[in-house]
């Protein structure tokens, strides 16, 4: 069987949707999750990365994805399109339930390698995004910041928004997280994103290969460099 290069996506398929951690598929394949406010461009980015137009459902109506959606790539890793946060019209009852499911997934999923925290690069820093990123760091979830929709403002504005966001994070973060910029509409930023995935997959494989073989699934996040840390002197972060 030919060796499948992770960066070269040769197959992509929708695997399943889950309402909570219990409904998620097996913990064998390394996972990379997309999260961010509703409408930030999570589903569009899944499609852009996988080179498809309709693998993930893109919606003009914010808050319509309520499940954790799993996509299997090259039969050896997964992208997970998570529900967005921050839209009031999602019923309060539902919103609480998916917040709990998403938080549990982010904190407890052992094969989660990296979260791509999507932030709209065409807007100045939003409180919800800042709070959410702080929650990720406080919970030691490995994440990379991805500024989306870089086509929707002029490059100088996007750059200023990113710098503003980073400078706000630096008030509580020990070191800045890796930061990427992309546009699903202008098809830019794909290679840098895939490189993050490629490197994480290599770390996971090396981590597993160097251990005494067991029947345990690969522990995604344990094989990777430490997540950006929130300084311990802060009051506890609010969940978003
Ligand atoms: N200008 C621009 N619009 C985008 C981009 N990516 C997504 N969108 C639009 O933003 C809206 C929400 O996209 P979607 O992927 O469904 O966001 P999600 O709710 O985070 O999954 C849709 O109308 C997309 O066409 C982008 O890179 N640039
Ligand atoms: Mg979506």
């Amino acid at each position: 069987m030919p060796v499948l290069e992770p960066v070269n996506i040769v197959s992509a398929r929708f695997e399943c949707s889950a309402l909570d951690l219990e409904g998620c598929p097996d913990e064998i394949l390394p996972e990379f999750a997309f999260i961010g406010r509703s409408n930030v461009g999570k589903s569009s980015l899944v499609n852009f990365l996988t080179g498809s137009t309709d693998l993930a459902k893109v919606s003009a109506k914010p808050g319509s994805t309520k499940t954790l959606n799993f996509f299997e790539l090259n039969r050896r890793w997964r992208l997970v399109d998570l529900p967005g946060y921050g839209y009031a019209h999602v019923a309060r009852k539902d919103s609480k339930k998916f917040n709990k499911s998403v938080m549990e997934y982010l904190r407890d999923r052992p094969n989660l390698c990296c979260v791509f925290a999507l932030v709209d690069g065409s807007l100045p820093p939003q409180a919800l995004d800042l709070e959410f990123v702080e929650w990720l760091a406080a919970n030691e979830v490995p994440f990379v910041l991805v500024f989306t929709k870089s086509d929707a403002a002029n490059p100088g504005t996007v750059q200023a928004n990113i710098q503003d966001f980073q400078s706000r994070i630096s008030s509580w973060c020990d070191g800045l997280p890796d930061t990427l910029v992309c546009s699903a509409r202008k098809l830019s930023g794909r290679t840098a994103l895939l490189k993050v995935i490629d490197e994480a997959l290599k770390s996971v494989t090396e981590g597993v290969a160097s251990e005494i073989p067991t029947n345990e699934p690969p522990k995604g996040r344990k094989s990777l460099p430490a997540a950006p840390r929130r300084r311990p002197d802060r009051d506890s972060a609010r969940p978003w």
Side-chain angles (χ1 to χ4, degrees), residues 38-39 59-65 87 89-90:
S38 297
N39 227 34
S59 172
K61 187 170 160 257
S64 50
T65 304
Y87 264 87
H89 78 258
V90 178

Side-chain angles (χ1 to χ4, degrees), residues 35-48 56-65 81-84 87 118 120 122 147-153 182-188:
I35 189 143
R37 276 187 305 128
S38 297
N39 227 34
V40 71
K42 297 176 291 297
S43 304
S44 302
L45 201 54
V46 168
N47 289 335
F48 174 38
K57 198 166 159 256
V58 172
S59 172
K61 187 170 160 257
S64 50
T65 304
D81 189 9
L82 295 173
Y87 264 87
L118 273 53
D120 189 333
S122 70
F147 289 89
T148 62
K149 304 193 184 183
S150 64
D151 62 284
C182 71
S183 163
R185 190 156 292 176
K186 288 279 160 70
L187 310 180
S188 67

Side-chain angles (χ1 to χ4, degrees), residues 32-36 79 114-118 143-144 146 180 193 196-197:
F32 300 86
F34 287 169
I35 189 143
L79 287 177
C114 182
V115 172
F116 292 102
L118 273 53
F143 71 94
V144 168
V146 181
L180 307 174
L193 250 152
V196 172
I197 293 173

Side-chain angles (χ1 to χ4, degrees), residues 50-171:
T50 55
S52 55
T53 51
D54 56 359
L55 194 60
K57 198 166 159 256
V58 172
S59 172
K61 187 170 160 257
S64 50
T65 304
K66 297 197 182 72
T67 48
L68 294 76
N69 299 317
F70 293 82
F71 302 93
E72 189 196 72
L73 284 297
N74 291 2
R75 290 183 287 153
R76 56 167 296 203
W77 52 282
R78 295 191 183 106
L79 287 177
V80 187
D81 189 9
L82 295 173
Y85 52 85
Y87 264 87
H89 78 258
V90 178
R92 203 172 169 74
K93 174 163 87 37
D94 277 6
S95 162
K96 261 198 170 156
K97 185 161 163 40
F98 86 62
N99 280 358
K100 186 169 175 284
S101 303
V102 173
M103 279 195 284
E104 282 175 359
Y105 173 84
L106 293 170
R107 269 197 312 233
D108 302 335
R109 183 81 167 154
N111 51 328
L112 174 62
C113 286
C114 182
V115 172
F116 292 102
L118 273 53
V119 176
D120 189 333
S122 70
L123 300 175
Q126 309 284 302
L128 265 182
D129 293 326
L130 290 162
E131 274 173 26
F132 175 69
V133 167
E134 190 169 348
W135 182 88
L136 286 177
N139 285 276
E140 298 181 21
V141 180
F143 71 94
V144 168
L145 279 179
V146 181
F147 289 89
T148 62
K149 304 193 184 183
S150 64
D151 62 284
N154 71 53
T157 305
V158 173
Q159 213 41 51
N161 292 340
I162 294 172
Q163 274 170 12
D164 199 358
F165 199 95
Q166 286 175 327
S167 100
R168 284 167 193 245
I169 288 186
S170 66
S171 69

